[in-house]
């Protein structure tokens, strides 16, 4: 009977396909020009109908009709769909016309193809009405639905995380979205360019890692607890209390919790903290792999474990105490098992910013964890151990521990991140990994080699063994390895903090590794600071060995040379740091000056000093202008400081705060002149076909003139290979130089006068009155009044004077008579009129004979 039904259906389909086809535009679709044009492209008969029901009433045996509706709800749609007629939406018709496809024999209504190629599966949606609605919408947008997940599935639709289907989807990197993804796609159904699989659209509807979960955090410190709550909320979860019956998970700090918490709900998962962070990193973690009960059973059954983080803190304290006692009985140096507080970033350098001045104590198990590589027992070890041997063991054990930390950084962090960077789902890109770990490998390699030499000494210990030779042999490698790491440590730290802050999955990766025994509950940043601390530590350790080495011992001289080698490495670091900071300063200066010559940035040039001045002469920018002198190893960059108001009015988009004026080579400076009757004025006399004198007054109160001019002379002498730096400095009075040293700290009103004068000059040039008809000139002259107020209070004489002033193309063209008439005006009138700028902002004319007398 079933076979007959299938045969009848196939005959029916054959008869349908042989019928002539036509297109019926229903309702307002028939009035849309684009839809009508698309329908005509198929070359089929086109009919229109208000509801489509009249066409439906005709004999279906004569035509195969394609109904085009813009509404997939209502009585008309239901009646046509019930007759199993082919229904299309306007976007689907236009898409088929554009792609030159046939209309096909779709048994389901197709409104558009926004989900073309999408294969979906549902889980956790219990409401039948909602599920039916979702199914119909997906079919209407060209998508497909499967009951179970398979290799063709592209999307999983659910309301909360968790479950077998969710785990499968996360394992095979399927897209997991909320039902809102379907409804949002349907809301955009009339857009021809819309594609529901676009990443920009999909990412807003992706299901978050803890969506639909209520999680309680138990046993964590207050700060860590709040941090985990914040991360939970960012990832869609809800924070719950232990007695909440709807609590789905309890996350326990296994390092402080000794007993299993008892939630009210018996189905609540009680898990270690690793589950939380693995879920953030990978999107899903199987609860069965992180059960806290299994963890308690494991530590109860293995009481002799030596792993630092394998036990809660109370257990670890007892283990450390027993271990310390055992170490002391074996003769290991006292203090090697003591807990040392970690050194903060601020304490790594001294006040002088010198690495060598740092007095960080030796790295004697600073991480509060056991040695990564315990010293091997040796038959050559003497029965009674000398103080020299004990201090050697300090050096050996701390080096073993240090190399273990470097191994952890390499294997647990760097290599793992590089492996993930080669996949389609990296935590960091290759550039970010290089910024963080780019200078790390040389340090790891040199200390691995040093540790091997120390192991050989320990295995064949003699009082006259040469410990200092190990440092001397590795001096060149240390010089190459440490300066790049130490000097770019701040940049590395900033990059690490940025990635930790901006990439949640990388943050989870760091948190997961931090809880592992190899890290001793320290973060990557804490581990990466160890190389910065190590050289001062080695220096102190070698000093301790040297103190207990007799002068007759061959190693005494070697140790002294080794200490010099360590000092050489640290001095090289400081010198490299100074050069690096100088080059960075040059880049900052170049980027801050408009029109700065490109050749200012040079590897052979270093930045020395900055001095803020006001110009006394009028040779560079103008008397009273604020200038900055940047002293470099071979030149001086002169630039003008832009005023904030002027920048805003003239060029709001200009970000640079200075403007280039002149780059002076130190070779061209003949003399530095100390203007003796001023505590802050000095000058520079430049060589050339015609000698030039530039005079300045220091505006920065923190800059001492005598110190600055001596520094300038010393730098000129160093650059020109002269030993008589004192002869480059001479003292002269302002009268001898004919320089006005009166106050150039211009008042607000004086600045306004000066700016108005410059503006008037530009306005005059813009109008170009030289060739303007007389009538227009008089009209414009009459309209150009003072910008400082109205003319109501001006006398007729002052108004006439101002009009004559406004008609001039240059403010210096005002004759003496005009100035006299202005001065004769009332005081109130003079304050409102634009007159000749005061003496403090006027250019001072120098006598040409002054330079010759110098």
């Amino acid at each position: 009977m079933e076979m007959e039904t299938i045969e009848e259906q196939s005959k029916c389909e054959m008869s349908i396909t042989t019928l002539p086809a036509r297109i019926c535009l229903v309702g307002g679709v028939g009035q849309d020009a684009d839809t009508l044009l698309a329908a005509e492209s198929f070359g089929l008969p086109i009919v229109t109908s208000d509801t489509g029901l009249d066409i439906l009433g005709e004999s279906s045996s004569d035509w195969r009709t394609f109904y085009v509706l813009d509404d997939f709800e209502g009585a008309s749609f239901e009646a046509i769909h019930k007759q199993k007629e082919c229904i299309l939406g306007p976007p689907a018709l236009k898409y088929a016309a554009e792609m030159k496809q046939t209309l096909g024999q779709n048994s389901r209504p197709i409104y558009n193809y926004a989900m073309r190629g999408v294969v979906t599966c549902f889980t956790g949606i219990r409401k039948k009405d909602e599920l039916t609605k979702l199914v119909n919408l997906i079919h209407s947008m060209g998508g497909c639905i499967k009951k179970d997940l398979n290799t063709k599935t592209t999307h999983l639709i659910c309301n909360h995380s968790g479950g077998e289907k969710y785990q499968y989807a996360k394992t095979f990197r399927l897209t997991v979205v909320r039902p809102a993804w379907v409804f949002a796609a349907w809301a955009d159904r009339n857009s021809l360019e819309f594609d529901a699989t676009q990443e920009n659209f999909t990412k807003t509807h992706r299901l978050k890692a803890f969506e639909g979960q209520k999680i309680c955090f138990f046993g964590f410190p207050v700060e860590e607890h709040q941090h985990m709550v914040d991360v939970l909320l960012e990832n869609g979860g809800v924070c719950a209390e232990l007695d909440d019956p709807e609590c789905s998970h309890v996350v326990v700090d296994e390092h402080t919790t000794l007993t299993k918490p008892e939630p009210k709900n018996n189905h609540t998962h009680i898990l270690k903290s690793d589950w939380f962070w693995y879920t953030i990193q990978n999107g899903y973690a199987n609860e069965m792999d992180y059960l806290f009960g299994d963890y308690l059973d494991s530590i109860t059954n293995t009481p002799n474990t030596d792993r630092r983080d394998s036990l809660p803190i109370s257990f670890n304290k007892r283990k450390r105490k027993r271990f310390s006692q055992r170490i002391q009985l074996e003769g290991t140096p006292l203090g090697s098992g003591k807990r040392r507080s970690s050194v903060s970033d601020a304490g790594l350098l001294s006040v002088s910013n010198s690495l060598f001045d740092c007095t960080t104590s030796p790295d004697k198990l600073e991480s509060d964890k056991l040695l990564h590589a315990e010293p091997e027992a040796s038959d050559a070890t003497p029965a009674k151990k000398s103080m020299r041997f004990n201090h050697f063991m300090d050096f050996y054990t701390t080096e073993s521990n240090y190399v273990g930390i470097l191994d952890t950084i390499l294997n647990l962090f760097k290599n793992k991140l590089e492996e993930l960077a080669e996949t389609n789902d990296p935590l960091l890109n290759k550039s970010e990994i290089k910024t963080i770990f780019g200078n790390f490998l040389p340090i790891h390699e040199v200390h691995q080699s040093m540790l091997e030499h120390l192991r050989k000494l320990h295995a064949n210990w003699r009082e006259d063994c040469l410990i200092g030779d190990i440092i001397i042999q590795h001096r060149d490698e240390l010089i190459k390895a440490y300066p790049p790491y130490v000097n770019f440590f701040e940049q590395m730290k900033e990059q690490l903090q940025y990635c930790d802050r901006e990439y949640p999955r990388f943050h989870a990766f760091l948190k997961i590794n931090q809880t592992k025994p190899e890290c001793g509950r320290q973060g990557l940043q804490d581990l990466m600071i160890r190389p910065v601390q190590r050289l001062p530590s080695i220096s102190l350790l070698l000093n301790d060995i040297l103190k207990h080495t007799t002068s007759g011992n061959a190693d005494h001289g070697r140790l002294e040379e080794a200490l010099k080698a360590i000092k050489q490495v640290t001095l090289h670091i400081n010198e490299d740091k100074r050069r690096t900071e100088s080059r960075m300063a040059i880049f900052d200066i170049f980027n801050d000056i408009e029109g700065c010559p490109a050749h200012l940035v040079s590897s052979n040039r270093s930045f020395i000093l900055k001095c803020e001045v006001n110009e006394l002469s009028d040779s560079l920018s103008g008397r009273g202008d604020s200038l900055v002198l940047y002293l470099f190893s071979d030149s001086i960059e002169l630039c003008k400081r832009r005023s904030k108001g002027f920048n805003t009015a003239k060029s709001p988009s200009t970000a640079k705060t200075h403007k280039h004026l002149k780059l002076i080579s130190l070779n061209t400076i003949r003399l530095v002149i100390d203007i003796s009757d001023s505590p802050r004025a000095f000058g520079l006399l430049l060589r050339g076909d015609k000698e030039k004198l530039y005079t300045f007054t220091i505006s920065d109160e923190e800059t001492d003139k005598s110190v600055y001019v001596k520094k300038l002379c010393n730098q000129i002498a160093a650059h020109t290979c002269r030993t008589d730096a004192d002869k480059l400095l001479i003292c002269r009075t302002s009268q001898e130089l004919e320089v006005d040293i009166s106050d150039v700290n211009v008042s607000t009103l004086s600045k306004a006068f000066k700016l108005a004068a410059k503006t008037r000059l530009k306005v005059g040039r813009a109008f170009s009155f030289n060739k303007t008809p007389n009538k227009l000139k008089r009209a414009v002259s009459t309209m150009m009044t003072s910008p400082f107020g109205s003319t109501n209070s001006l006398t007729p004489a002052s108004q006439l004077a101002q009009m004559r002033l406004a008609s001039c193309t240059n403010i210096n063209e005002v004759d003496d008579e005009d100035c006299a008439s202005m001065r004769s005006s009332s005081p109130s009138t003079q304050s409102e009129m634009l007159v000749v700028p005061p003496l403090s902002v006027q250019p001072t004319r120098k006598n040409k004979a002054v330079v010759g007398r110098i």
Side-chain angles (χ1 to χ4, degrees), residues 592-594 626 640-660 755 762:
D592 198 38
I593 301 175
E594 181 183 348
S626 296
K640 179 182 177 181
R641 183 189 298 276
R642 292 183 180 275
S643 62
K644 294 182 179 179
F646 184 73
N647 276 339
T648 305
K650 183 179 178 181
S651 51
S653 62
T654 302
K656 299 187 177 183
T657 58
H658 295 78
K659 182 179 181 180
H660 169 74
L755 181 59
K762 295 179 180 179

Side-chain angles (χ1 to χ4, degrees), residues 161 228 270 320-321 445 469 481 568 617 658 751 833:
S161 59
M228 297 181 80
I270 304 175
R320 284 199 299 270
K321 184 176 180 181
E445 292 171 358
D469 272 358
Q568 181 183 355
S617 57
H658 295 78
K751 288 183 179 180
M833 291 170 53

Side-chain angles (χ1 to χ4, degrees), residues 671-675 681-685 693-696 709 712 737:
L671 292 171
V672 178
I673 305 172
D674 182 359
I675 302 178
F682 70 97
L684 299 177
L685 182 63
L693 176 63
Y694 300 138
T695 54
F696 313 94
V709 294
L712 180 57
L737 301 177

Side-chain angles (χ1 to χ4, degrees), residues 557-571:
R558 298 289 188 177
L559 287 171
E560 289 179 337
E561 190 176 347
L563 282 169
K564 291 179 181 178
I566 293 296
K567 185 174 182 179
Q568 181 183 355
V569 174
T570 54
L571 290 176

